[in-house]
């Protein structure tokens, strides 16, 4: 049986893992796919590294377009990253009638609509399991495993760096900056960690899952992002006292009038399995109307876990590229003519529970004023905790609300902050029960 | 676009759920599948129930063969259960060139090899996601999501009834018999609970996962089964003191000389996510050489969760039945000509850690005798706990071992039980670190 020939564009961490696993498990993979899957050509700036990783049977070049234009290549694997050359490579591969596998979450979240439209015209598959949650086959679960369901929401811990930092802050009671420095030393955080800690990376992944869950185009520009760099260790401690953990959580939820799409530090009840996903691990919890809640857990990054997803896509294409292109698994789970135009809701319109921390003068009437403002704003209180703060005559008040609309909470907080008995800004975090 | 016409054989709990969800989410499902998926005919002994559930557009009959022989039916859904008429129905559907979806774990675990061979000859698909772990898309994950990996082991909590009973025993400190009675009252356990509590149901599911993970034929008759009915509340308590939970765990592991395939009450470190899967929920943990450990969690039974998997299979077939039958996703993940003949190892040959509870006379030298016997048998001790038992002059000794071969442990236990200072039989439970 003729092998499937793969052209690798980019032989960095994931590209190296892909070449290594394809070689190591060649027999196992061929037994599953029905034919060998072989890297025939690889493009990399560092030719020596590519030669070392891929071995002497593979043609090594420094120009990715040479791979894409090689008529012997059946599937192009794009592992260059970014949205400039990577986008050109993917579009050219499609134009040349080649199937594409990519791990590029930014590319799919920002240019997926254009890429999938071109792929559909050409009858080729663009697969991207590795773009979300590394080795966890969550795209497959959402796109194929849960097709019976109206998906209600998806919630995910989908950035390992942030989860590592939050886990260390909680376990060791350290401040954000100290843990970040440690994470950088250990190689879990980049020298410039912005992309991870401010939620961009998680929002790219969430955008893709949202499109697949609800049958809407990818709309990364409408996602709301809030990172963990301003998170105070005090709130992690108070959250624990109340029975919650704080995670950088991506949440996308179907509401009647639109879709919520947001990444933010979020309280989750400690009793939920997902609240106990620690360190660099990832997990995604999906709520469907028929199945209820299902959870998918595993390593969200790393050479071989990500390669695991890249190769699963290669096997999928090998097995299924002969299916009628008009009806096989659609890129975004829903047939391209059947996408919905439900809008992404602005953050003001989201509905969730809230954790509020106020610093107040320790005197009679403060609580009455605060709870009156909340009640007037239609915000009902689920739990309250009053703590003696460090400074004399001041106290921390922690309030957990029931479901409320964000703009109503913001309006109430403006009034609370204007009270003479309240010191400074109120800390506001979102809280999800995920029940 | 012409609908896909489904024939439902059996309109019980899962059949009812399937008809209900197909109707409720018809639009969502058609947007995903590319065409409507419609129940056209249903067979059930209770015609009135079938009419009520399926609605007036569906032809209701009492003979399942009328469904299978109807030329208008594209996919037959077998939800009758058992292995007599269900097997005939499935084989006849295949003979008639129809695709089949089944939730019947017993049928697949015991007759899968024959059924898949016939389906292969006829170029039809037999899909069975609902047969393992209810609504969790674990078959898809193993068969398609993890194809890059040499799977090392699969461990699952895959019987909700047993997990409910064990959770209650632990939380309330109750004996097995008391909790079973409660579970029966709540409808979580059958009047005759043997199938669930003695591990048959879990072993059926594990047999299927083992075949898919390792590329071997289904071999239910070689599975080792040990249920929870003899489990003592004392051991649940001691396990917790040592940092473990006891679960009815299905474990299948690839060893050099064969495959382990066993269901038994098993200690798991409390810090593992899977140890915290409680109540009727299911979870499967899979270790692959490239991806590492991934976990899949959700409801393992119930009308709509199981229907979720049945319908996912219907959508899959709708999307993919046009792919070349020689190369599309193989029933057991590996191409039918590429199954391995690795034997299932007898239980004597399994290698795992052990929890041992001895009741001993509280006198000098007992521990020395016991540890000498273990050492002579090549069994090394990981942890030990000595407890004052109820009766004067007696003490419980709990020993946790490192990895050992079962027959060596049994030989050592025979010698230990022969010691004059040891009372009665030693309790032996298996222990998995799942790291």
């Amino acid at each position: 049986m003729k092998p499937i020939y793969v052209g690798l564009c980019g032989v960095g961490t994931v590209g190296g893992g892909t070449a290594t696993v394809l070689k190591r498990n060649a027999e196992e993979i061929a037994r599953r796919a029905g034919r060998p899957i072989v890297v025939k050509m690889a493009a990399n700036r560092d030719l020596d590294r590519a030669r070392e990783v891929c071995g002497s049977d593979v043609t090594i070049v420094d120009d990715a377009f040479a791979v894409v234009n090689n008529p012997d290549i059946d599937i192009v694997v794009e592992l260059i990253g970014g949205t400039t050359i990577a986008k050109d490579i993917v579009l050219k591969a499609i134009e040349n009638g080649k199937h594409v596998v990519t791990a590029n979450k930014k590319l799919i979240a920002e240019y997926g609509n254009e890429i999938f439209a071109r792929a559909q015209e050409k009858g080729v598959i663009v697969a991207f399991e590795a773009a979300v949650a590394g080795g966890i086959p969550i795209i497959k679960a959402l796109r194929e495993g849960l097709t019976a369901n109206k998906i209600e929401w998806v919630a995910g811990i989908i950035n390992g760096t942030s989860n590592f930092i939050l886990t260390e802050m909680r376990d060791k009671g350290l401040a954000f900056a100290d843990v970040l420095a440690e994470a950088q030393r250990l190689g879990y955080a980049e020298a410039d960690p912005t992309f991870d800690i401010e939620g961009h990376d998680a929002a790219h992944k969430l955008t893709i899952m949202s499109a697949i869950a609800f049958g809407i185009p990818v709309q990364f520009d409408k996602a709301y992002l809030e990172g963990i760099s301003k998170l105070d260790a005090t709130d992690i401690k108070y959250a624990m006292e109340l029975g919650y953990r704080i995670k950088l959580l991506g949440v996308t939820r179907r509401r009647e009038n639109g879709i919520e799409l947001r990444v933010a530090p979020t309280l989750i009840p400690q009793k939920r399995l997902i609240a106990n996903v620690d360190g660099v691990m990832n997990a995604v919890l999906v709520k469907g109307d028929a199945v209820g809640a299902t959870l998918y857990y595993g390593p969200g990054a790393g050479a071989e876990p990500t390669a695991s997803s890249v190769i699963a896509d290669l096997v999928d294409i090998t097995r299924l590229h002969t299916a009628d292109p008009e009806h096989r698994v659609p890129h975004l789970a829903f047939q391209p003519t059947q996408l919905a135009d439900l809008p992404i809701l602005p953050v003001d319109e989201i509905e969730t529970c809230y954790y509020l921390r106020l610093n107040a003068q320790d005197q009679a009437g403060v609580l009455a004023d605060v709870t009156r403002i909340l009640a007037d704003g239609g915000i009902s209180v689920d739990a309250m905790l009053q703590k003696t703060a460090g400074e004399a005559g001041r106290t921390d008040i922690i309030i957990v609300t029931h479901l409320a609309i964000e703009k109503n909470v913001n309006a109430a907080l403006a009034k609370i902050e204007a009270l003479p008995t309240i010191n400074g800004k109120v800390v506001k975090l979102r809280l999800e029960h995920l029940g």
Side-chain angles (χ1 to χ4, degrees), chain A:
Chain A
M1 174 66 57
K2 181 187 168 298
I4 288 282
Y5 289 121
V6 171
L8 218 51
C9 299
V11 191
T13 304
V14 178
T18 301
T20 302
V21 175
L22 273 176
K23 269 189 290 185
R24 187 177 71 221
N25 292 350
E27 191 203 326
E28 195 97 356
I29 291 166
R31 285 173 60 209
R32 289 192 175 105
R35 65 189 81 180
I37 297 178
V38 176
V39 177
K40 198 183 179 72
M41 195 177 195
N44 203 43
R45 260 188 290 188
D46 181 343
L47 296 173
D48 289 341
R49 172 179 158 83
R51 266 187 213 104
E52 193 186 324
V53 169
C54 297
S56 54
D57 301 344
V58 179
T59 307
I60 307 293
V61 294
D62 62 359
D63 175 16
F65 286 95
V67 173
V68 164
N69 292 324
N70 181 339
D72 291 342
I73 297 298
D74 302 302
I75 308 176
V76 170
V77 177
E78 183 280 303
L79 299 170
I80 296 169
T83 54
T84 54
I85 181 165
K87 186 182 171 204
D88 294 339
I89 287 292
V90 166
L91 290 176
K92 187 71 185 171
I94 293 168
E95 191 188 313
N96 290 348
K98 295 184 195 306
H99 303 291
V100 174
V101 174
T102 177
N104 192 330
K105 59 214 77 163
K106 188 172 161 68
L107 182 66
I108 298 298
E110 298 184 10
Y111 298 98
N113 303 326
E114 177 185 349
I115 289 167
F116 298 143
R118 301 276 281 274
Q120 189 71 19
E121 283 165 26
K122 282 289 190 172
V124 298
I125 300 168
V126 176
F128 52 94
E129 181 65 79
V132 180
I136 308 173
I138 182 64
I139 297 297
K140 185 167 276 288
L142 279 172
R143 195 178 51 195
E144 303 163 36
L146 302 175
T147 46
N149 294 268
K150 261 189 105 113
I151 305 291
E152 297 173 5
W153 48 260
V154 178
I157 296 172
I158 42 180
N159 181 268
T161 304
S162 300
N163 203 43
F164 173 81
I165 291 173
L166 291 178
T167 304
E168 292 285 295
M169 284 177 74
R170 184 197 71 213
D171 287 352
K172 301 184 178 165
L174 293 172
F176 172 80
D178 297 333
V179 179
L180 174 60
E182 183 201 355
Q184 287 171 320
R185 210 168 48 239
L186 290 170
Y188 291 158
E190 308 276 343
D192 176 1
T194 313
F195 197 70
D196 289 313
I197 63 173
E198 299 302 355
H200 295 82
D201 174 72
H204 279 137
K205 296 167 183 166
L206 185 69
T207 296
I208 298 170
M209 291 197 287
S210 181
I212 292 176
F214 304 122
I216 55 172
V218 290
Q219 294 165 76
F220 173 70
D221 57 326
K222 307 246 176 68
Y224 174 76
L225 277 71
E226 196 176 301
I228 59 168
S229 60
K230 292 186 187 69
L231 191 67
D232 197 316
T234 309
D235 295 306
I236 295 179
K237 192 168 58 95
Y238 287 160
M240 283 184 74
E241 288 182 34
L242 288 159
Y244 297 91
R245 298 270 170 95
I246 299 183
K247 296 290 182 186
L248 182 66
L249 196 71
V251 177
T252 183
R253 173 178 280 122
R254 187 203 304 254
R255 297 253 307 282
E256 231 170 83
N257 53 340
I259 304 287
E260 297 185 7
L261 181 64
R262 56 191 154 95
V263 173
T266 304
L267 282 79
I268 311 171
Q270 199 173 323
K271 66 182 175 194
R272 300 267 174 251
L273 219 52
I274 195 171
N276 297 285
V277 170
D278 287 334
V280 296
M281 299 306 279
N282 280 202
V284 179
L285 186 60
V286 183
K287 178 78 186 294
D289 70 335
V291 70
T294 54
L295 178 112
Y296 309 83
Y297 163 90
E304 293 207 1
T306 311
S308 174
S309 286
V310 168
I311 296 170
D313 279 345
L314 291 172
V315 173
D316 253 11
I317 293 172
T318 304
R319 286 168 166 174
L320 297 173
H321 68 280
T322 56
D324 171 10
E326 293 296 310
H327 299 110
R328 69 187 167 207
V329 184
H331 291 103
L332 290 178
F334 291 74
Q335 301 293 327
T337 55
Q338 297 292 318
L339 295 188
D341 58 358
L342 271 174
I344 306 293
L345 296 170
V347 67
D348 264 4
E349 297 296 335
I350 72 168
E351 184 180 46
T352 184
C353 303
Y354 292 84
Y355 161 103
L356 308 171
R357 172 164 59 88
L358 300 64
N359 188 261
Q361 310 290 358
D362 192 6
Q363 66 185 60
V366 178
L367 262 184
D369 291 342
V370 168
T371 50
R372 169 53 51 208
I373 291 172
L374 290 173
D376 288 349
I379 299 155
S380 68
V381 173
D382 178 32
M384 191 173 302
L385 182 70
Q386 185 162 339
K387 304 290 291 187
T388 307
E391 292 165 73
R394 295 188 171 192
T395 176
D396 275 350
I397 299 169
I398 296 96
I399 295 170
V400 172
T401 77
H402 286 296
L403 281 179
I405 302 288
E406 178 118 347
K407 67 181 168 195
N408 297 343
V409 173
N410 289 341
L413 293 189
K415 288 180 196 162
I416 289 170
E417 286 168 354
L419 290 173
T421 48
I422 297 296
N423 308 303
K425 300 280 288 178
V426 175
V427 171
K428 177 188 78 181
L429 294 169
R430 293 163 196 87
L431 183 154
E432 291 282 345
H433 288 287
L434 303 178

